[in-house]
Amino acid sequence: MSSISIRELKLNFGSVEVLKQLDLEIEDGEFLVLLGPSGCGKSTLLNCIAGLLDATDGQIFIKGRNVTWEEPKDRGIGMVFQSYALYPQMSVKGNLSFGLRNQRMARDEIEQRVSRAAEMLQIEALLDRKPAALSGGQRQRVAIGRALVRDADVFLFDEPLSNLDAKLRSELRVEIKRLHARLANTMVYVTHDQIEALTLADRIAVMRHGIIQQLADPHTIYDRPANRFVAGFIGSPSMNFLDGNLVRNGSAAAFDLAGQRISVDGYRANGGDLNGGGTAVLGVRPEHVTIQAQSRPDQTIEATVDIEEPMGADSLQWLRVGDQQLSVRKRADVQHEPGSTVHLDFDLAKASLFDANSEQRL
Amino acid sequence: MRSLAERVYVWAILLSGVAFAASRIGLLGDAGWLHWLFLAAALGAVAVLAVEANGLKFGDNRLRRYALGWIIAAAVALVLWAFGQKQVQEALPFLTAQRRIWGALEPFGLYLAGLFLTFMASLLVIGTLDPIADRPRPIERTLIRRLPAKVAAVPMVMVALGIFVGATLWTVYHSFTSSKLLPKSDFVGFDQYERLWATNRWIISIENLAIYGVCSLTFSLIIGFCLAALLDQKIRFENTFRTIFLYPFALSFIVTGLVWQWLLTPEFGIQKIVRDLGWTNFTFDPLFNADIVIYGILIAGLWQGTGLIMVIMLAGLRGIDQEIWKASRVDGIPMWKTYLFVVIPMMRPVFITALVLIASGIVRVYDLVVAQTSGGPGLASEVPAKYVYDYMFGGQNLGQGFAASTMMLLTVLVVLIPWAYLEFGGRKRV
Ligand SMILES: Nc1ncnc2c1ncn2[C@@H]1O[C@H](COP(=O)(O)OP(=O)(O)O)[C@@H](O)[C@H]1O
Ligand SMILES: [Mg+2]
């Protein structure tokens, strides 16, 4: 049974359609990340699940129950916000217990839940402090604790790490992952940071303009992006896109790049027709290209060496093919003379071909 | 020798300031030149230092830029002094409109110019004595730090000292004299205050102020906040409502008072309307009933003032992070509880601003009373500000007016000082 099920959800702000006919099934215990650029409607979708926004149309089920018209508190959710949203005049303990006290829960039960959450998040020592006396990371732990004590079936996170500095962010990221492993309840996590998405998610839903572009596990998203937008959004350094044509080369199909041809035999097609010809875009990540000294017919392409960007363990070599640019990841100790000609070998099994017009994967 | 001269310098400067303040109030009588004597003593100390330094060096003095700064400050002060001179005012006719202000500032200009020139001299001496000091000594530090800001603040400080502090001290001093039509300097102790507290009219004024104050404070805050909370619910026509509620604030107290005098008059206003609707026994005539007349004034005051409080509260509410609201909704906190336990505590600075605005309005309530009741019926709606005004300008009894205004000042201080202590003093010790 899916934990959250969203059916034909629509949401308009006035005349602006933010979510259009959105369908989404989230499995029990799954960690689902909503990923997309700013303003694509991630928070809006999350707020709809939480009940903080009323859907214009469509339905939302949580644990098989139609909650479309229920108040947030009755949906069995806990939520964590980007700005922490702690109650500033209350101590950490007050923050954790305010909701429970308001439900007139028994005092021992509250105590027990608060201390369990505090133990899980290692904030026992901070219970009597005010939020103003906490660091950003500690505040976000308290905010997570406030969701924990609710004993919710579903946790919703809205960019919880965006206000933290890089080091704290990676620490807390690991902690959230550990929390999910321990609690095993459903989590929906909104972020615009692809690293967070790739490290945390069981499945990622990549969104753009209020539409889910691809919903899949991180490997599939990374290796077999459904369209050019997903391919370009995921991965750092980002994917190279080379414009060219699909042509017939004897009996097999080949990709023609400004007169040079490479065979696309190894390409794992998505059911698209490679033999039809026409313009196409070859998308290949910097780590799936290697620089060779020797050329091999139908396998390699000639390129001119441009500048190099060192990145620590390895470095990024920029090259030119005709009037197009691409980058290749290589070992830092191998040097190429700028202006010299080298031969590029593409790993077609890990590359993507997109239709030039629809931008969908072939 | 040097440290002794420096000590004399600091004390002479301080004493000259005290002497100047005292002579402004009129405490010193004939010895109004005393501050110049102290300033001369300070200059003497500078001269002793200069001898020690074998004269002043200007060229490579490391503090010469700061000395120049103080010369500019002295020039600014002198210009303000000059504006108070008759001949200058005749030459520059645009000055005559504010003749009184310039007159009040005039003595300050001259004194400050002298003071700043003393500062300049001391800086030049110090610069000669310690040509390459790596750590500034206290006098030097005081005189050079943020000098441009100090120079720029000269006119403002003069206005603050001359008009606010000076006038206040002058008033307090003369409340201990028997001034009648003109201010006199004969000290009569607490006579004026004894007379004040024996006057029935003053007692009634104080009672009225207390009732008006407590009610006005409570209702302005409650009504203002509730209106703001209602407007904050993303309602339609918010701008229209805001304008409607704020509009009375644009009216003067006199207009407000007249409008409400009319509305509360039994023959035309609310009473007549309700009687015309069928309740022929309905009576509502607060302005003609000595027991409740102050509430009639209160209604007009609230109508005029709550709009502003509402706007301030609305700005405060808009400043609350929307995610706080979301969090409390997920926690299942009812809206009124969120307001009470989360939002209002977060709006403490806004409440303090509102409080100060309301309180200052309360203490000076005057025009409303004049417009609505002129203090009547009988003395039933008198207020302290009206007492002050009537005695100072109507009764030609300055002493009583000064004593009453000093009492008002005291009331404000009694409220303000504990609050300031809690707000600013308490925090450091936590
Ligand atoms: N309260 C609102 N009123 C009108 N438009 C809104 C409102 N909230 C969000 N939007 C619009 O909806 C779109 C999606 O917003 P949001 O879900 O917050 O994006 P994000 O993916 O960055 O979280 C944005 O274009 C934004 O301008
Ligand atoms: Mg967002």
Side-chain angles (χ1 to χ4, degrees):
Chain A
M1 183 187 69
S2 46
S3 175
I4 303 175
S5 152
I6 295 165
R7 299 189 191 152
E8 301 189 346
L9 181 70
K10 260 205 226 168
L11 191 124
N12 302 350
F13 283 119
S15 60
V16 185
E17 284 193 333
V18 176
L19 300 177
K20 303 152 198 167
Q21 290 284 332
L22 195 137
D23 288 279
L24 182 62
E25 300 282 328
I26 302 172
E27 299 303 320
D28 220 1
E30 184 175 15
F31 199 120
L32 182 98
V33 172
L34 296 173
L35 177 68
S38 257
C40 71
K42 313 176 295 284
S43 300
T44 306
L45 174 55
L46 200 71
N47 286 336
C48 284
I49 298 175
L52 295 167
L53 285 173
D54 287 331
T56 309
D57 201 1
Q59 280 165 347
I60 299 170
F61 296 78
I62 294 180
K63 295 268 174 199
R65 198 159 53 92
N66 188 338
V67 296
T68 314
W69 303 111
E70 282 188 4
E71 267 294 296
K73 67 177 161 77
D74 302 323
R75 295 192 178 198
I77 54 156
M79 192 158 175
V80 178
F81 299 90
Q82 174 175 355
S83 67
Y84 322 128
L86 298 178
Y87 310 128
Q89 311 293 331
M90 298 181 194
S91 66
V92 168
K93 195 168 184 178
N95 267 283
L96 294 183
S97 60
F98 189 42
L100 303 181
R101 276 183 283 144
N102 193 61
Q103 296 171 15
R104 305 191 178 287
M105 187 179 279
R107 194 164 289 177
D108 332 338
E109 173 74 12
I110 295 180
E111 281 291 326
Q112 201 184 327
R113 287 194 186 191
V114 168
S115 57
R116 197 176 95 99
E119 177 263 318
M120 263 194 225
L121 296 162
Q122 296 151 29
I123 50 173
E124 292 115 315
L126 310 175
L127 281 179
D128 293 321
R129 289 211 209 154
K130 291 271 174 74
L134 302 178
S135 70
Q138 291 169 332
R139 282 182 212 183
Q140 199 54 289
R141 275 168 214 264
V142 176
I144 295 173
R146 188 171 57 183
L148 270 184
V149 294
R150 290 178 54 72
D151 240 356
D153 303 319
V154 174
F155 278 169
L156 307 175
F157 295 86
D158 193 350
E159 310 217 13
L161 308 182
S162 295
N163 282 8
L164 302 175
D165 61 52
K167 187 166 171 295
L168 272 174
R169 202 180 301 171
S170 55
E171 270 175 36
L172 216 53
R173 199 171 66 206
V174 176
E175 201 134 335
I176 290 175
K177 185 144 193 166
R178 206 171 282 144
L179 201 67
H180 180 240
R182 180 162 170 186
L183 296 173
N185 46 8
T186 313
M187 294 191 174
V188 184
Y189 186 106
V190 165
T191 182
H192 63 260
D193 179 353
Q194 43 150 334
I195 308 284
E196 267 170 42
L198 292 171
T199 49
L200 286 172
D202 293 329
R203 281 195 303 165
I204 300 176
V206 183
M207 284 181 74
R208 178 201 199 185
H209 300 328
I211 295 170
I212 294 182
Q213 305 285 317
Q214 186 172 12
L215 173 61
D217 61 283
H219 271 295
T220 312
I221 296 261
Y222 192 78
D223 289 335
R224 298 168 61 79
N227 57 36
R228 191 173 160 167
F229 170 77
V230 176
F233 193 76
I234 300 274
S236 167
S238 57
M239 187 184 262
N240 299 296
F241 293 105
L242 299 166
D243 295 320
N245 293 297
L246 278 172
V247 293
R248 294 208 54 83
N249 194 17
S251 62
F255 186 74
D256 178 300
L257 185 60
Q260 310 189 55
R261 288 184 179 187
I262 41 173
S263 154
V264 293
D265 275 349
Y267 179 64
R268 299 190 296 165
N270 237 21
D273 179 16
L274 300 182
N275 295 315
T279 56
V281 178
L282 174 67
V284 60
R285 298 194 183 280
E287 58 267 39
H288 297 149
V289 187
T290 46
I291 300 176
Q292 309 278 352
Q294 300 297 318
S295 80
R296 278 184 292 139
D298 288 347
Q299 298 296 323
T300 61
I301 277 185
E302 264 184 21
T304 316
V305 176
D306 200 358
I307 56 161
E308 181 183 350
E309 281 184 274
M311 300 200 305
D314 43 19
S315 70
L316 202 62
Q317 181 70 59
W318 285 89
L319 304 123
R320 277 196 306 274
V321 178
D323 53 359
Q324 306 191 60
Q325 292 200 352
L326 82 163
S327 62
V328 174
R329 211 168 190 155
K330 66 168 182 60
R331 277 169 45 194
D333 53 355
V334 186
Q335 296 292 323
H336 298 283
E337 188 64 28
S340 61
T341 301
V342 291
H343 303 277
L344 300 181
D345 189 356
F346 294 86
D347 182 355
L348 261 292
K350 299 239 173 94
S352 305
L353 279 166
F354 302 106
D355 184 282
N357 297 315
S358 71
E359 302 203 331
Q360 295 298 315
R361 184 184 180 86
L362 288 170
Chain B
M1 194 63 186
R2 172 171 181 180
S3 69
L4 178 69
E6 277 177 359
R7 216 168 296 160
V8 169
Y9 172 82
V10 171
W11 277 105
I13 296 271
L14 289 178
L15 284 173
S16 90
V18 172
F20 178 71
S23 79
R24 283 316 304 146
I25 299 164
L27 273 181
L28 293 178
D30 294 336
W33 37 263
L34 204 57
H35 53 279
W36 292 116
L37 187 70
F38 284 118
L39 221 47
L43 271 175
V46 173
V48 171
L49 289 174
V51 169
E52 200 155 303
N54 294 322
L56 300 178
K57 267 193 280 174
F58 295 99
D60 51 353
N61 193 312
R62 82 190 151 95
L63 296 178
R64 63 180 186 278
R65 273 177 42 231
Y66 298 104
L68 188 67
W70 282 113
I71 292 179
I72 296 172
V76 172
L78 265 183
V79 166
L80 291 177
W81 168 77
F83 282 175
Q85 303 305 307
K86 265 226 169 57
Q87 298 88 322
V88 177
Q89 286 179 354
E90 276 160 16
L92 302 171
F94 66 91
L95 291 174
T96 44
Q98 287 87 28
R99 188 182 284 145
R100 273 172 187 234
I101 296 180
W102 300 125
L105 294 182
E106 180 206 333
F108 288 87
L110 201 57
Y111 172 64
L112 287 183
L115 191 66
F116 294 160
L117 289 176
T118 316
F119 288 166
M120 183 234 18
S122 63
L123 275 183
L124 284 179
V125 173
I126 294 173
T128 314
L129 273 172
D130 313 318
I132 45 162
D134 54 346
R135 191 193 299 174
R137 295 164 65 93
I139 295 179
E140 182 188 341
R141 219 183 306 144
T142 322
L143 293 184
I144 68 175
R145 208 182 273 164
R146 288 191 228 111
L147 185 57
K150 286 179 184 170
V151 173
V154 168
M156 199 266 293
V157 170
M158 277 173 65
V159 171
L161 284 179
I163 296 183
F164 299 118
V165 181
T168 306
L169 293 178
W170 191 87
T171 304
V172 173
Y173 173 72
H174 281 89
S175 71
F176 292 99
T177 66
S178 68
S179 306
K180 280 285 185 197
L181 180 57
L182 294 171
K184 277 194 268 181
S185 296
D186 58 332
F187 192 73
V188 294
F190 283 93
D191 274 12
Q192 298 285 10
Y193 291 90
E194 275 163 28
R195 194 135 23 107
L196 183 68
W197 284 102
T199 312
N200 195 24
R201 179 174 165 186
W202 175 253
I203 305 288
I204 293 173
S205 300
I206 291 285
E207 280 170 7
N208 278 340
L209 184 70
I211 297 174
Y212 182 86
V214 170
C215 295
S216 170
L217 207 62
T218 328
F219 288 115
S220 291
L221 284 179
I222 294 177
I223 298 174
F225 184 81
C226 290
L227 286 177
L230 287 178
L231 276 194
D232 196 33
Q233 306 305 312
K234 303 208 174 72
I235 57 164
R236 236 174 257 211
F237 308 121
E238 182 197 315
N239 287 341
T240 318
F241 281 115
R242 206 170 46 203
T243 312
I244 291 175
F245 286 127
L246 193 55
Y247 196 73
F249 187 67
L251 300 180
S252 74
F253 273 117
I254 295 292
V255 175
T256 309
L258 289 177
V259 167
W260 278 93
Q261 184 196 33
W262 184 79
L263 279 174
L264 296 179
T265 302
E267 292 85 41
F268 319 105
I270 296 173
Q271 173 171 325
K272 170 137 193 307
I273 295 169
V274 177
R275 281 193 182 177
D276 285 354
L277 288 175
W279 287 276
T280 45
N281 289 330
F282 179 80
T283 343
F284 188 63
D285 56 349
L287 296 189
F288 297 87
N289 182 340
D291 293 333
I292 56 169
V293 61
I294 193 67
Y295 297 100
I297 292 167
L298 178 70
I299 292 175
L302 288 178
W303 180 78
Q304 215 251 4
T306 33
L308 179 72
I309 303 303
M310 173 200 78
V311 173
I312 293 174
M313 298 278 184
L314 188 58
L317 283 174
R318 290 285 149 83
I320 302 276
D321 183 1
Q322 284 302 310
E323 293 196 333
I324 291 264
W325 282 105
K326 291 184 182 174
S328 89
R329 255 184 95 187
V330 172
D331 264 351
I333 318 288
M335 186 185 268
W336 66 269
K337 265 195 183 175
T338 312
Y339 271 119
L340 211 58
F341 295 116
V342 181
V343 172
I344 290 181
M346 285 173 82
M347 281 178 43
R348 182 191 155 105
V350 176
F351 269 88
I352 287 176
T353 309
L355 209 73
V356 170
L357 282 176
I358 300 170
S360 69
I362 291 168
V363 177
R364 58 164 203 249
V365 58
Y366 167 78
D367 346 31
L368 264 186
V369 178
V370 171
Q372 276 187 284
T373 65
S374 308
L379 296 175
S381 60
E382 290 289 343
V383 285
K386 189 160 175 296
Y387 187 95
V388 172
Y389 185 86
D390 287 351
Y391 273 89
M392 274 208 229
F393 302 102
Q396 297 178 347
N397 189 343
L398 285 181
Q400 268 298 291
F402 290 152
S405 42
T406 306
M407 287 315 304
M408 287 172 70
L409 176 70
L410 210 62
T411 324
V412 173
L413 290 184
V414 163
V415 178
L416 221 54
I417 288 176
W419 167 77
Y421 184 74
L422 283 179
E423 191 67 15
F424 303 113
R427 192 160 304 162
K428 279 181 208 124
R429 265 175 279 118
V430 173

mmCIF file of all heavy atoms in Angstrom, chain B residues 348-367:
data_model
loop_
_atom_site.group_PDB
_atom_site.id
_atom_site.type_symbol
_atom_site.label_atom_id
_atom_site.label_comp_id
_atom_site.label_asym_id
_atom_site.label_seq_id
_atom_site.Cartn_x
_atom_site.Cartn_y
_atom_site.Cartn_z
ATOM 1 N N ARG B 348 6.957 41.931 20.767
ATOM 2 C CA ARG B 348 7.249 42.804 21.894
ATOM 3 C C ARG B 348 7.763 44.192 21.495
ATOM 4 O O ARG B 348 7.259 45.197 21.991
ATOM 5 C CB ARG B 348 8.270 42.090 22.788
ATOM 6 C CG ARG B 348 8.643 42.812 24.021
ATOM 7 C CD ARG B 348 9.850 42.084 24.636
ATOM 8 N NE ARG B 348 10.589 43.002 25.448
ATOM 9 C CZ ARG B 348 10.562 42.997 26.783
ATOM 10 N NH1 ARG B 348 9.846 42.102 27.407
ATOM 11 N NH2 ARG B 348 11.239 43.867 27.452
ATOM 12 N N PRO B 349 8.726 44.304 20.565
ATOM 13 C CA PRO B 349 9.186 45.647 20.195
ATOM 14 C C PRO B 349 8.073 46.509 19.609
ATOM 15 O O PRO B 349 8.007 47.706 19.861
ATOM 16 C CB PRO B 349 10.261 45.387 19.143
ATOM 17 C CG PRO B 349 10.622 43.962 19.277
ATOM 18 C CD PRO B 349 9.454 43.255 19.842
ATOM 19 N N VAL B 350 7.198 45.877 18.833
ATOM 20 C CA VAL B 350 6.093 46.623 18.242
ATOM 21 C C VAL B 350 5.167 47.123 19.341
ATOM 22 O O VAL B 350 4.704 48.273 19.327
ATOM 23 C CB VAL B 350 5.325 45.720 17.254
ATOM 24 C CG1 VAL B 350 4.116 46.438 16.715
ATOM 25 C CG2 VAL B 350 6.242 45.292 16.142
ATOM 26 N N PHE B 351 4.911 46.270 20.331
ATOM 27 C CA PHE B 351 4.036 46.677 21.428
ATOM 28 C C PHE B 351 4.658 47.836 22.199
ATOM 29 O O PHE B 351 3.948 48.738 22.634
ATOM 30 C CB PHE B 351 3.767 45.496 22.366
ATOM 31 C CG PHE B 351 2.549 44.725 21.965
ATOM 32 C CD1 PHE B 351 2.641 43.695 21.056
ATOM 33 C CD2 PHE B 351 1.307 45.044 22.482
ATOM 34 C CE1 PHE B 351 1.529 42.992 20.658
ATOM 35 C CE2 PHE B 351 0.180 44.359 22.090
ATOM 36 C CZ PHE B 351 0.293 43.319 21.184
ATOM 37 N N ILE B 352 5.965 47.794 22.368
ATOM 38 C CA ILE B 352 6.601 48.881 23.123
ATOM 39 C C ILE B 352 6.482 50.192 22.352
ATOM 40 O O ILE B 352 6.149 51.229 22.925
ATOM 41 C CB ILE B 352 8.070 48.520 23.428
ATOM 42 C CG1 ILE B 352 8.070 47.453 24.508
ATOM 43 C CG2 ILE B 352 8.841 49.740 23.889
ATOM 44 C CD1 ILE B 352 9.421 46.916 24.847
ATOM 45 N N THR B 353 6.706 50.131 21.032
ATOM 46 C CA THR B 353 6.518 51.338 20.220
ATOM 47 C C THR B 353 5.098 51.872 20.375
ATOM 48 O O THR B 353 4.884 53.064 20.614
ATOM 49 C CB THR B 353 6.777 51.024 18.739
ATOM 50 O OG1 THR B 353 8.030 50.371 18.637
ATOM 51 C CG2 THR B 353 6.766 52.271 17.910
ATOM 52 N N ALA B 354 4.128 50.974 20.244
ATOM 53 C CA ALA B 354 2.731 51.386 20.358
ATOM 54 C C ALA B 354 2.477 51.990 21.737
ATOM 55 O O ALA B 354 1.809 53.023 21.868
ATOM 56 C CB ALA B 354 1.820 50.192 20.116
ATOM 57 N N LEU B 355 3.038 51.357 22.742
ATOM 58 C CA LEU B 355 2.838 51.815 24.117
ATOM 59 C C LEU B 355 3.356 53.232 24.295
ATOM 60 O O LEU B 355 2.679 54.080 24.888
ATOM 61 C CB LEU B 355 3.596 50.870 25.053
ATOM 62 C CG LEU B 355 3.030 50.698 26.436
ATOM 63 C CD1 LEU B 355 1.771 49.869 26.357
ATOM 64 C CD2 LEU B 355 4.055 50.007 27.317
ATOM 65 N N VAL B 356 4.547 53.482 23.774
ATOM 66 C CA VAL B 356 5.128 54.817 23.926
ATOM 67 C C VAL B 356 4.254 55.854 23.218
ATOM 68 O O VAL B 356 3.966 56.928 23.758
ATOM 69 C CB VAL B 356 6.564 54.840 23.360
ATOM 70 C CG1 VAL B 356 7.084 56.256 23.278
ATOM 71 C CG2 VAL B 356 7.476 53.996 24.230
ATOM 72 N N LEU B 357 3.788 55.481 22.000
ATOM 73 C CA LEU B 357 2.936 56.422 21.257
ATOM 74 C C LEU B 357 1.654 56.728 22.019
ATOM 75 O O LEU B 357 1.254 57.882 22.164
ATOM 76 C CB LEU B 357 2.593 55.831 19.884
ATOM 77 C CG LEU B 357 3.690 55.909 18.841
ATOM 78 C CD1 LEU B 357 3.254 55.199 17.574
ATOM 79 C CD2 LEU B 357 3.995 57.355 18.535
ATOM 80 N N ILE B 358 1.013 55.665 22.527
ATOM 81 C CA ILE B 358 -0.249 55.878 23.236
ATOM 82 C C ILE B 358 -0.004 56.694 24.497
ATOM 83 O O ILE B 358 -0.729 57.645 24.788
ATOM 84 C CB ILE B 358 -0.891 54.522 23.614
ATOM 85 C CG1 ILE B 358 -1.174 53.707 22.360
ATOM 86 C CG2 ILE B 358 -2.179 54.749 24.373
ATOM 87 C CD1 ILE B 358 -1.578 52.286 22.654
ATOM 88 N N ALA B 359 1.049 56.329 25.237
ATOM 89 C CA ALA B 359 1.293 56.992 26.515
ATOM 90 C C ALA B 359 1.565 58.473 26.313
ATOM 91 O O ALA B 359 1.049 59.316 27.057
ATOM 92 C CB ALA B 359 2.466 56.328 27.226
ATOM 93 N N SER B 360 2.348 58.806 25.265
ATOM 94 C CA SER B 360 2.626 60.229 25.064
ATOM 95 C C SER B 360 1.347 60.958 24.679
ATOM 96 O O SER B 360 1.140 62.110 25.052
ATOM 97 C CB SER B 360 3.696 60.405 23.999
ATOM 98 O OG SER B 360 3.175 60.043 22.747
ATOM 99 N N GLY B 361 0.457 60.260 23.958
ATOM 100 C CA GLY B 361 -0.825 60.872 23.618
ATOM 101 C C GLY B 361 -1.670 61.119 24.853
ATOM 102 O O GLY B 361 -2.366 62.127 24.946
ATOM 103 N N ILE B 362 -1.585 60.202 25.802
ATOM 104 C CA ILE B 362 -2.404 60.323 27.007
ATOM 105 C C ILE B 362 -1.971 61.543 27.819
ATOM 106 O O ILE B 362 -2.794 62.359 28.224
ATOM 107 C CB ILE B 362 -2.271 59.052 27.869
ATOM 108 C CG1 ILE B 362 -2.934 57.879 27.164
ATOM 109 C CG2 ILE B 362 -2.886 59.272 29.236
ATOM 110 C CD1 ILE B 362 -2.613 56.554 27.793
ATOM 111 N N VAL B 363 -0.661 61.668 28.057
ATOM 112 C CA VAL B 363 -0.192 62.727 28.945
ATOM 113 C C VAL B 363 -0.533 64.098 28.381
ATOM 114 O O VAL B 363 -0.831 65.029 29.111
ATOM 115 C CB VAL B 363 1.324 62.592 29.173
ATOM 116 C CG1 VAL B 363 1.821 63.730 30.041
ATOM 117 C CG2 VAL B 363 1.632 61.276 29.838
ATOM 118 N N ARG B 364 -0.523 64.227 27.055
ATOM 119 C CA ARG B 364 -0.745 65.568 26.528
ATOM 120 C C ARG B 364 -2.180 65.788 26.057
ATOM 121 O O ARG B 364 -2.449 66.755 25.354
ATOM 122 C CB ARG B 364 0.245 65.873 25.422
ATOM 123 C CG ARG B 364 0.206 64.912 24.277
ATOM 124 C CD ARG B 364 0.918 65.450 23.058
ATOM 125 N NE ARG B 364 0.383 64.749 21.921
ATOM 126 C CZ ARG B 364 1.072 63.875 21.192
ATOM 127 N NH1 ARG B 364 2.315 63.654 21.452
ATOM 128 N NH2 ARG B 364 0.507 63.247 20.192
ATOM 129 N N VAL B 365 -3.108 64.909 26.437
ATOM 130 C CA VAL B 365 -4.491 65.079 25.972
ATOM 131 C C VAL B 365 -4.995 66.444 26.445
ATOM 132 O O VAL B 365 -4.927 66.782 27.618
ATOM 133 C CB VAL B 365 -5.407 63.945 26.455
ATOM 134 C CG1 VAL B 365 -5.437 63.827 27.956
ATOM 135 C CG2 VAL B 365 -6.808 64.155 25.928
ATOM 136 N N TYR B 366 -5.443 67.244 25.493
ATOM 137 C CA TYR B 366 -5.816 68.617 25.802
ATOM 138 C C TYR B 366 -6.875 69.103 24.807
ATOM 139 O O TYR B 366 -7.986 69.455 25.188
ATOM 140 C CB TYR B 366 -4.574 69.506 25.740
ATOM 141 C CG TYR B 366 -4.871 70.983 25.725
ATOM 142 C CD1 TYR B 366 -5.211 71.629 26.903
ATOM 143 C CD2 TYR B 366 -4.822 71.715 24.547
ATOM 144 C CE1 TYR B 366 -5.514 72.978 26.900
ATOM 145 C CE2 TYR B 366 -5.124 73.063 24.538
ATOM 146 C CZ TYR B 366 -5.465 73.701 25.714
ATOM 147 O OH TYR B 366 -5.760 75.025 25.706
ATOM 148 N N ASP B 367 -6.511 69.048 23.528
ATOM 149 C CA ASP B 367 -7.381 69.612 22.501
ATOM 150 C C ASP B 367 -8.750 68.942 22.476
ATOM 151 O O ASP B 367 -9.764 69.596 22.275
ATOM 152 C CB ASP B 367 -6.762 69.502 21.102
ATOM 153 C CG ASP B 367 -5.304 69.157 21.125
ATOM 154 O OD1 ASP B 367 -4.880 68.456 22.059
ATOM 155 O OD2 ASP B 367 -4.592 69.557 20.184
#
